[in-house]
Amino acid sequence: MSPIALVAPGPGGWARALEPCGNRPFLAWVLREVARHGVEEVCLPGAPEAVRALPLPRPLRLRTAGEVPPDAPRWQADRLAAPDGTFEIATPPGLARARRELPALALGRRALLLDRDGVLNIDRGYVGSRERWEWMPGAIAALRRATARGWQVFVVTNQSGIARGLYTEADLRALMAWAGGELRAAGALLDDWRFCPYHPEAALPQWRGDHPWRKPRPGMLLDVLACWELDAHRALMVGDAATDLQAAAAAGVRGLRFPGGDLAAFLAAEL
Ligand SMILES: [Mg+2]
């Protein structure tokens, strides 16, 4: 089962949680931080259907009704500790403070966008299982450093192995869930990830074709930036292929070509 959380409104109720903070409802900020902590499904008992219109980081799923496991972690929509532990909101008067400070906090966020194969893990070609996964030297250390220094970290990866029938979408999701858990255990956060299973010459017809998410096109990067309300000018894309840099340029993001070796050493001056 995916990690699940219960988000309850503070004293002001759901109406208060949906009040604007910056240019987004306050609850949008809360849900983004919940997702950042590895939660994939959120129960919002009693919340209005309007919450479904909030900009949500995928793969966060919302349930406004239904059973919640008794041991689900509980978050309160008026009280939130930021990942770096320096920002806490409570209402009232915290909502006023949130209105004042969160937009600036958002503008200051930096995003590290990583290609997967050849950057996070050794590229053995179509890595779809843990057995074939080997961390790139320094990858975990690099992400730990990025997390500690306030970067949000994302993976954007072409996965034509799915189109070729070498592994399934479920295999890939399981592998990435495992990798995310390994990173969390090491003090590094992978905030979110995107993959593109399409390929123009796919063996499986449902994945055949060009797709705006397939690098060198910028769709995955643009989607991450939009979902997480990030500024392209404060993002950095690291990839080992020319197509990674082409996608970065098309998204307005600075790109760096990783030539292999130790990722932490390569990024030491950047993070
Ligand atoms: Mg690569």
Side-chain angles (χ1 to χ4, degrees):
M1 199 178 88
S2 65
I4 189 168
L6 172 68
V7 170
W14 288 114
R16 184 110 171 154
L18 286 165
E19 283 180 19
C21 170
N23 59 358
R24 300 288 188 197
F26 182 55
L27 186 59
W29 293 93
V30 176
L31 294 175
R32 192 169 70 181
E33 294 307 316
V34 167
R36 189 170 152 75
H37 284 72
V39 169
E40 294 174 6
E41 185 161 5
V42 176
C43 298
L44 303 158
E49 281 297 308
V51 299
R52 297 194 184 280
L54 297 177
L56 293 179
R58 279 181 274 180
L60 196 63
R61 291 185 297 276
L62 299 185
R63 292 201 302 194
T64 54
E67 290 291 306
V68 181
D71 58 347
R74 283 161 193 265
W75 299 67
Q76 200 162 15
D78 67 341
R79 187 174 178 81
L80 166 71
D84 63 3
T86 60
F87 196 87
E88 189 171 292
I89 302 159
T91 58
L95 191 59
R97 184 184 159 200
R99 281 203 188 97
R100 197 168 58 242
E101 297 184 15
L102 277 180
L105 192 70
L107 289 174
R109 277 171 192 256
R110 294 178 297 180
L112 180 62
L113 299 151
L114 300 171
D115 172 43
R116 198 195 74 166
D117 302 294
V119 176
L120 206 54
N121 58 287
I122 304 286
D123 189 356
R124 293 183 165 147
Y126 311 113
V127 175
S129 67
R130 282 170 59 175
E131 294 68 37
R132 302 195 66 234
W133 178 282
E134 182 181 349
W135 290 99
M136 183 66 66
I140 293 176
L143 266 61
R144 189 189 301 122
R145 181 178 168 93
T147 300
R149 297 177 75 92
W151 291 76
Q152 289 194 268
V153 181
F154 305 92
V155 165
V156 287
T157 177
N158 285 354
Q159 288 296 324
S160 69
I162 294 172
R164 296 168 200 272
L166 300 173
Y167 44 86
T168 66
E169 188 177 337
D171 294 334
L172 177 68
R173 290 188 183 282
L175 176 60
M176 292 303 291
W178 168 81
E182 293 280 296
L183 288 167
R184 264 200 298 283
L189 283 177
L190 174 58
D191 288 277
D192 205 352
W193 63 292
R194 298 286 183 275
F195 69 98
C196 182
Y198 290 87
H199 190 276
E201 290 152 28
L204 303 177
Q206 69 266 40
W207 303 122
R208 196 174 300 151
D210 196 8
H211 194 277
W213 276 30
R214 181 169 168 79
K215 294 179 286 187
R217 300 177 78 179
M220 289 191 285
L221 287 76
L222 294 174
D223 193 65
V224 164
L225 295 174
C227 281
W228 289 84
E229 301 170 43
L230 292 159
D231 182 351
H233 295 105
R234 294 186 64 82
L236 172 65
M237 169 83 206
V238 179
D240 68 325
T243 47
D244 296 317
L245 302 194
Q246 289 162 10
V253 171
R254 186 165 69 96
L256 272 184
R257 184 93 174 250
F258 175 55
D262 186 295
L263 187 65
F266 177 73
L267 291 176
E270 297 285 344
L271 302 180

